[in-house]
Amino acid sequence: EEPQTKKFLLKISGGNCEEFEPERMRFRREDSSLEILNTSREDGQLYEYSVSKGQLEEVWQVRLEVFEPVADPTIRILHRELSNGSCSLALRCTSERGDEVSYSWDGRDNGTRGICSGSGSFLNLSYSLRSAAFGCVCTARNPVSSRDAAFDSSQCGSER
């Protein structure tokens, strides 16, 4: 069986602290926290933290996941239909960058929550052109960031 190898970032023994990649990390003794600086996708892996106490060794394993933040989303009109004073739209919200992005829709104010509510990248709207103007907000989010884009109901007759 092949031996397993470990790469150390930090080793503390007998009160001495040895940092193997000081330019890549920051260790704080006061709370024993370790920060990896300038995180890249290659840093997403399994890490191990161990403490030896005499004959016993306590070991914790932590999986670090690295996510690219979401970019500002854009809202596109996929389908538009104007008839009998009403507007029907199919909207799509997308973000050019980001890992594990999810989308949700909501109203810009309390009065439009129902018409603008939705989950996922797509939203279908149907409303009277005589109704008061309202705005829908798309939120693109992932575990590390959240960005918004707004759509105004007055855009029914215009390209965006």
Side-chain angles (χ1 to χ4, degrees), residues 13-60:
S13 178
N16 296 324
C17 181
E18 186 176 1
E19 295 180 4
F20 293 95
E21 295 184 49
E23 69 285 350
R24 293 252 310 123
M25 48 153 279
R26 183 179 306 133
F27 177 70
R28 293 190 353 208
R29 284 182 180 268
E30 55 270 14
D31 62 2
S32 297
S33 65
L34 178 67
E35 179 182 2
I36 298 174
L37 306 173
N38 299 319
T39 310
S40 68
R41 290 191 187 278
E42 291 75 39
D43 293 318
Q45 59 183 309
L46 187 65
Y47 288 86
E48 189 174 275
Y49 172 76
S50 64
V51 177
S52 295
K53 296 177 181 177
Q55 286 184 298
L56 298 176
E57 181 179 47
E58 295 176 339
V59 178
W60 293 268

Side-chain angles (χ1 to χ4, degrees), residues 105-121:
W105 294 84
D106 207 349
R108 201 177 322 177
D109 54 48
N110 289 337
T112 58
R113 287 224 161 159
I115 194 169
C116 294
S117 291
S119 61
S121 185

